[in-house]
Amino acid sequence: MITLENIRKVFYQGRPNEQVAVLDASLTIEDGKVTVLKGPSGSGKTTLLSIIGCMARPTSGRIRLGEREITSLPERFLTEIRRQTFGFIFQQFNLIRGITAIENVMLPAYPNGEKYGLLKQRAKGLLDLFNISAKTNERVQFLSGGEAQRVAIARALINDPSVIIADEPTAHLDTKLSQEFMEIMDRLHREGRTIIIASHDPIVYASALVDRTVEMRDGKIVS
Amino acid sequence: MAWIDKQRNVIDFTLSSLLRRKGKNAALIIVYTAVVFVLASVMLFTHALKREADIILREAPEIVLQRMVAGRHDLMPVSYATVVSHITGVGEVRPRLWGYYYDPLFRANYTLLVPDDFRYGEGDIAIGEGVARAGVTSEGNIMPFFGSDGKLVSYRVKEILPSESELISSDLIMMGEADFRTLFSIPQDRVTDLAVTVANPQEVLTVAAKIRKELPDTRPIVREEIVRTYDAIFDWRSGIMLVIFSGALLAFVIFAWDKASGLSAEEKREIGILKATGWETSDVILMKFWEGMAISFTSFTSGLILAYIHVFVSSAPLFEPVMKGWAVLYPEFRVVPFINFYQIATLLFLTVVPYTTATVIPSWRAATVDPDAVMRT
Ligand SMILES: Nc1ncnc2c1ncn2[C@@H]1O[C@H](COP(=O)(O)OP(=O)(O)OP(=O)(O)O)[C@@H](O)[C@H]1O
Ligand SMILES: [Mg+2]
């Protein structure tokens, strides 16, 4: 369970261009559920996701992961939590160009110090699972959007995270690929993972899979 | 062990990461290799020369005695040898015959010398490799000389002396005593100088003073003074080398600084992705460290090997302008390979250390950037 209490995020605090991105957000995300953050552009979805995923610290407020209060943890621990608990799927896929699909998938696991052979085996398994093993040794810039998306998902899963965080995952996909994406999310959901998606794509938020939709507006959670 | 596997994984990524920017990294390695090459060449060459000079001087006599007439170096009466040999502290006294010869045909200066035990007969000579090259002659050929009377004399080349070990023997010509005396019209009772050995190094200066007293028209040259002269010559040559040396070093520092002053947007984005997916700042620095090491190691090794070939196998052709003038022979002189740990350590310190520092520092700055930045690119 992830609990947010009165989260506030202010950019450029105290300066003329001060920007309040998230305002007094309180939210409980239950384990194993699919939650969608929905709202217009600039409403603070991405900001809130990055706070939940330990990528950024809130300006004020508290976050608990299970029973553990993580807001005040030092950088190193946050990184470790991020690596072990969260798998990220970014809007732009954010794959590293020039290296192969399988290397991209393996990257987040390198700091763990796992045997290279074993790690490679696991990465292969994931690529297999998403039917892109044919592209294992392809450089990622030569992949189609759908293939890149699946490599990005495989990468998010390499450390076997309990929470998947996706920011506008279908923004660059056509309807069919978007539906495929939701099917994959369904599978991960059935594996017992918690899924948090920010999106204003109806294919996502209107999906039967979604347990809860959180609506945001101007940095506030409205429902 | 997890630690080793982690290093291995990070190195693996580093290498495939380097291969992506082939052009840029190749350029980097070429510049880096060139710098190491120049520095290593200068270093290997000067060290080898110094060592060469040490060997020559170790075999030199403690005192060389010259006769002075009107303040000029003149021929030495052989009878002086007997006088000197009676002075206490003097070991052996050896009269020597040697001189210089300017070859107008090839416009080269040779050193002519009568060795104690010349193996060949009258009309025969042994010549250094440099002479053979300058005079375009070889074993069994005839080599013409103009005698002091202006007449042409020819000698038969019996041997080409190997110049592997000595800088100076390259321009050397050895001949028998009789031929030498005839060529330069030197009377039987005269020699060029006397080589005086003194067993006890502490007595050298006393012996020199005694010689001056007994034979006021002579000048004893103490080996220590020669050492100083040699040092001066080598220092002058090293001085020029030093200019080259510091030039290369300066270029390298500018180049490393340039590297240090910025990561490309692409590199920053990649570091952001790594951090977002769970790499720690220290992991990113580790990767940059290995990247620096990989480039350094490749460049250092190839630069050093190239320098070794340049100096010891191909006779340092790039330093020829500096070395010219030892004799007019342009001795294509090959120094004995000599390399030690100290040299390599110095070289490492001058190149690998600044480079690695220059590559790690900027990535440290980038690695401390908030990982959520990649959510917005
Ligand atoms: N790093 C930042 N520096 C300054 N302002 C920021 C930063 N990140 C976000 N903001 C601002 O915070 C507000 C919320 O942005 P956020 O990206 O969270 O919205 P969003 O709901 O994800 O929008 P979109 O649907 O367009 O992705 C915006 O006004 C944005 O300009
Ligand atoms: Mg967003």
Side-chain angles (χ1 to χ4, degrees):
Chain A
M1 197 164 71
I2 303 168
T3 320
L4 309 182
E5 284 172 24
N6 304 314
I7 296 297
R8 237 174 103 89
K9 179 72 177 181
V10 183
F11 292 101
Y12 312 119
Q13 192 165 30
R15 286 197 252 157
N17 55 350
E18 185 175 281
Q19 181 74 245
V20 182
V22 175
L23 196 64
D24 288 324
S26 295
L27 183 65
T28 305
I29 296 165
E30 283 171 63
D31 289 343
K33 293 280 162 70
V34 179
T35 307
V36 171
L37 300 182
K38 180 182 158 210
S41 185
S43 56
K45 305 183 295 291
T46 300
T47 308
L48 197 59
L49 275 190
S50 58
I51 289 172
I52 294 170
C54 298
M55 284 216 205
R57 288 175 196 275
T59 311
S60 66
R62 285 201 282 186
I63 309 162
R64 270 180 294 146
L65 195 63
E67 288 310 304
R68 197 173 181 199
E69 146 85 65
I70 58 170
T71 332
S72 51
L73 287 180
E75 177 69 35
R76 271 198 52 203
F77 292 93
L78 281 184
T79 309
E80 204 174 312
I81 291 172
R82 189 158 74 231
R83 186 166 69 232
Q84 307 298 353
T85 313
F86 297 99
F88 295 91
I89 300 163
F90 307 98
Q91 180 177 352
Q92 314 278 1
F93 312 139
N94 274 339
L95 297 174
I96 292 186
R97 296 164 61 84
I99 61 175
T100 60
I102 193 160
E103 281 178 298
N104 263 284
V105 174
M106 290 161 75
L107 265 182
Y110 283 165
N112 295 333
E114 187 178 345
K115 277 247 173 301
Y116 189 83
L118 289 177
L119 175 56
K120 193 157 188 172
Q121 223 37 59
R122 285 202 299 122
K124 274 208 176 104
L126 284 168
L127 290 173
D128 257 352
L129 191 64
F130 297 120
N131 297 320
I132 36 169
S133 36
K135 304 289 176 182
T136 303
N137 293 315
E138 186 81 73
R139 306 244 161 103
V140 292
Q141 65 266 37
F142 302 123
L143 299 179
S144 72
E147 289 163 349
Q149 170 81 277
R150 281 178 280 167
V151 171
I153 298 170
R155 179 179 67 182
L157 291 171
I158 192 71
N159 285 329
D160 195 22
S162 56
V163 183
I164 300 288
I165 291 182
D167 191 12
E168 313 272 4
T170 57
H172 291 305
L173 303 179
D174 60 23
T175 309
K176 186 171 165 286
L177 287 173
S178 300
Q179 275 158 353
E180 267 178 36
F181 174 79
M182 289 313 287
E183 278 159 30
I184 293 172
M185 289 302 115
D186 187 27
R187 192 191 306 172
L188 299 180
H189 173 231
R190 277 187 273 119
E191 286 170 9
R193 297 183 215 266
T194 309
I195 294 171
I196 310 168
I197 310 174
S199 177
H200 43 219
D201 179 356
I203 295 179
V204 176
Y205 64 75
S207 158
L209 175 70
V210 177
D211 295 305
R212 183 177 175 196
T213 308
V214 176
E215 234 185 291
M216 295 191 73
R217 192 167 291 272
D218 300 327
K220 278 182 276 209
I221 294 175
V222 289
S223 71
Chain B
M1 220 172 92
W3 187 86
I4 292 175
D5 285 311
K6 177 172 173 171
Q7 306 297 313
R8 190 199 176 293
N9 292 344
V10 171
I11 290 172
D12 197 82
F13 172 61
T14 304
L15 293 182
S16 57
S17 180
L18 281 174
L19 284 177
R20 285 180 301 158
R21 291 183 265 267
K22 273 198 211 79
K24 180 179 164 256
N25 287 311
L28 203 70
I29 288 175
I30 289 170
V31 174
Y32 199 157
T33 303
V35 171
V36 174
F37 169 76
V38 172
L39 295 183
S41 292
V42 170
M43 188 171 272
L44 291 178
F45 197 57
T46 44
H47 273 78
L49 280 187
K50 278 230 149 102
R51 196 165 155 276
E52 201 85 31
D54 283 348
I55 293 170
I56 295 168
L57 287 170
R58 216 183 301 133
E59 287 162 8
E62 281 75 30
I63 297 172
V64 170
L65 195 62
Q66 292 177 340
R67 185 181 183 207
M68 304 300 287
V69 173
R72 304 276 303 164
H73 176 195
D74 200 40
L75 290 175
M76 164 80 69
V78 186
S79 58
Y80 281 22
T82 330
V83 181
V84 175
S85 64
H86 287 130
I87 293 172
T88 41
V90 169
E92 192 196 350
V93 181
R94 207 155 42 79
R96 304 196 304 188
L97 277 170
W98 62 277
Y100 300 115
Y101 176 81
Y102 175 71
D103 188 338
L105 264 98
F106 297 103
R107 276 181 283 171
N109 276 301
Y110 306 142
T111 302
L112 269 61
L113 173 92
V114 178
D116 287 339
D117 46 354
F118 188 60
R119 285 192 280 157
Y120 306 101
E122 208 158 308
D124 297 338
I125 55 172
I127 66 177
E129 278 179 353
V131 181
R133 227 173 298 114
V136 208
T137 186
S138 56
E139 239 173 87
N141 276 8
I142 294 291
M143 200 171 161
F145 285 83
F146 289 97
S148 56
D149 54 2
K151 291 218 182 73
L152 205 61
V153 201
S154 284
Y155 299 103
R156 181 170 299 275
V157 177
K158 281 287 193 184
E159 190 190 344
I160 310 287
L161 301 165
S163 73
E164 297 291 328
S165 61
E166 284 176 24
L167 178 55
I168 290 166
S169 68
S170 175
D171 70 347
L172 194 67
I173 296 178
M174 299 209 283
M175 52 172 54
E177 184 177 343
D179 284 334
F180 189 87
R181 289 189 186 282
T182 318
L183 186 66
F184 295 110
S185 313
I186 296 174
Q188 285 298 326
D189 60 346
R190 291 284 193 274
V191 290
T192 311
D193 55 21
L194 302 178
V196 182
T197 57
V198 179
N200 184 353
Q202 239 117 59
E203 286 177 12
V204 173
L205 290 178
T206 331
V207 170
K210 279 187 205 155
I211 293 174
R212 281 189 75 96
K213 223 170 132 198
E214 295 263 344
L215 302 165
D217 61 341
T218 62
R219 175 174 68 178
I221 300 167
V222 178
R223 182 171 62 185
E224 300 314 305
E225 288 171 21
I226 305 174
V227 171
R228 248 175 280 135
T229 313
Y230 266 107
D231 274 352
I233 291 169
F234 279 123
D235 280 351
W236 174 76
R237 278 162 204 274
S238 306
I240 294 175
M241 298 290 198
L242 200 72
V243 173
I244 302 172
F245 202 92
S246 31
L249 205 61
L250 187 72
F252 186 65
V253 168
I254 292 170
F255 159 78
W257 186 252
D258 185 54
K259 264 272 331 166
S261 52
L263 288 173
S264 68
E266 176 74 7
E267 277 176 294
K268 275 194 188 133
R269 192 183 82 96
E270 284 176 14
I271 290 176
I273 294 173
L274 293 176
K275 287 209 76 179
T277 56
W279 283 46
E280 274 174 43
T281 306
S282 63
D283 298 327
V284 175
I285 293 171
L286 184 71
M287 177 192 87
K288 284 288 155 184
F289 168 78
W290 283 120
E291 190 179 303
M293 288 309 281
I295 290 185
S296 286
F297 182 77
T298 314
S299 311
F300 189 82
T301 316
S302 34
L304 193 61
I305 290 170
L306 286 176
Y308 190 93
I309 293 171
H310 171 229
V311 172
F312 297 129
V313 181
S314 78
S315 312
L318 295 183
F319 294 146
E320 205 173 78
V322 185
M323 290 312 297
K324 265 182 202 171
W326 194 269
V328 189
L329 293 175
Y330 312 153
E332 186 196 294
F333 124 85
R334 229 179 264 169
V335 283
V336 180
F338 170 69
I339 186 163
N340 62 15
F341 173 76
Y342 169 77
Q343 288 172 281
I344 294 176
T346 311
L347 215 53
L348 270 171
F349 187 75
L350 287 175
T351 54
V352 173
V353 172
Y355 181 80
T356 309
T357 316
T359 47
V360 168
I361 286 175
S363 63
W364 174 76
R365 268 195 267 132
T368 54
V369 167
D370 275 341
D372 69 321
V374 295
M375 304 275 278
R376 312 185 180 280
T377 46

